[in-house]
Each structure stands twice: as C-alpha cells, then as structure tokens.
Amino acid sequence: MWYLITILVIVLDQITKYLAVKYLKGKSSFVIIEDFLQLYYVENYGAAFGILQNRKIFFIIVTSIVIISIVFFLCKNPYNLSKIMQIALSMLLGGSIGNLIDRIRLGYVVDFISIRIGKGYDFPVFNIADTFIVIGTFLIVIMVLLDRYEA
C-alpha cells in the first residue's frame, strides 16, 4: 500500500508544479484569500526557508540517501509497522522524490503556495511535496514519541 501513496504524492506534486509553471510563472500572484493565501511562482535553489542556496549536488545526495533509507526500511519491515507509520513514511518518501525530480530536472524546486498572516508574517513559499514532507515527518515524530509505530 505504501508505494501507491508514494506514487499519488509524486503525481499530485508534479501536476501542481506543472500548472504553477504554466499559469503563474512570470505573472503576479493569484490571491485566493486576501492577506492569507495566494499562489506565487518561486524558483527555490535552496532548502526550506531558502537556506543553503545553490547547493544542488548536496541536496541531490542527501535526498537520495533519505529516499533509499526509507525504501529499505519500508521493504524490510512491511508487517512490523503500523498503518499510520507506513502512510507517514510514504508521504515523506513521495514528497522527497517530488522535490528531487525538480532538482535533477530543473536545478531548483518549484514553489508556489504562499501564506501570510495579515500584513505581518509572510511564511516562506512552498509546494505540495513540502506539505507532505512536513505532515509525514510530524506523524513520524508523534508515532515514535507515543511508541505507536509498530503493528
């Protein structure tokens, strides 16, 4: 089951990034909810929050190690992990692969979701893969802390 979720995350991520390039690149932001949610095309050459700019090879190597480790872990423990842990790992895996595809193909990651809190805080622009990476990581941490990761 985990590979289906992984594939779904990758497909959803790549389709939304394609649409962002097609409809947002070179244009002003598309406001969905005033002073809260907008779509805005950004080419991210770094990691989260724009850190470590222009470290393409570094990110490709680290992400590849993470991907191989997750796949190895899921294949080695298919019946020992709870369903939620399998889902969380597959979300993390799919998001990682989605961003890796961008880094290899484009040299940067396409980001397009922008959240603001009023006129004050402007959250860094992100994408669907980032969303699944964060949710998957959060679930993994919770499952490990509560000792609920085994079946």
Side-chain angles (χ1 to χ4, degrees):
M1 175 184 77
W2 63 266
Y3 52 88
L4 294 175
I5 295 169
T6 301
I7 292 168
L8 180 66
V9 170
I10 295 167
V11 169
L12 181 62
D13 174 63
Q14 291 299 301
I15 288 171
T16 56
K17 287 175 180 174
Y18 168 79
L19 294 171
V21 170
K22 184 174 182 177
Y23 294 108
L24 299 172
K25 187 175 182 176
K27 298 183 174 98
S28 61
S29 62
F30 179 78
V31 177
I32 297 173
I33 302 172
E34 189 71 33
D35 291 329
F36 180 68
L37 178 62
Q38 64 182 2
L39 302 178
Y40 177 72
Y41 178 83
V42 173
E43 295 174 357
N44 185 354
Y45 291 87
F49 308 104
I51 62 172
L52 299 171
Q53 291 290 311
N54 299 312
R55 302 280 198 262
K56 177 183 170 183
I57 300 301
F58 171 76
F59 288 120
I60 289 173
I61 291 169
V62 170
T63 305
S64 296
I65 291 169
V66 168
I67 290 167
I68 291 166
S69 299
I70 293 171
V71 170
F72 178 77
F73 188 73
L74 283 167
C75 289
K76 187 170 171 54
N77 300 295
Y79 305 108
N80 297 338
L81 299 173
S82 69
K83 292 292 182 199
I84 295 175
M85 184 58 108
Q86 289 179 32
I87 291 168
L89 285 166
S90 62
M91 291 168 71
L92 177 58
L93 180 61
S96 299
I97 292 171
N99 282 342
L100 180 64
I101 290 169
D102 282 13
R103 288 197 194 284
I104 291 171
R105 191 172 64 89
L106 304 170
Y108 55 85
V109 174
V110 173
D111 288 334
F112 59 91
I113 303 169
S114 175
I115 294 180
R116 289 186 179 161
I117 300 176
K119 301 280 186 201
Y121 185 71
D122 192 5
F123 196 78
V125 182
F126 59 98
N127 60 44
I128 298 298
D130 297 335
T131 303
F132 280 104
I133 289 169
V134 169
I135 293 169
T137 301
F138 179 75
L139 288 172
I140 292 166
V141 168
I142 296 299
M143 297 301 292
V144 170
L145 288 175
L146 297 176
D147 197 27
R148 305 275 178 148
Y149 55 91
E150 293 182 320

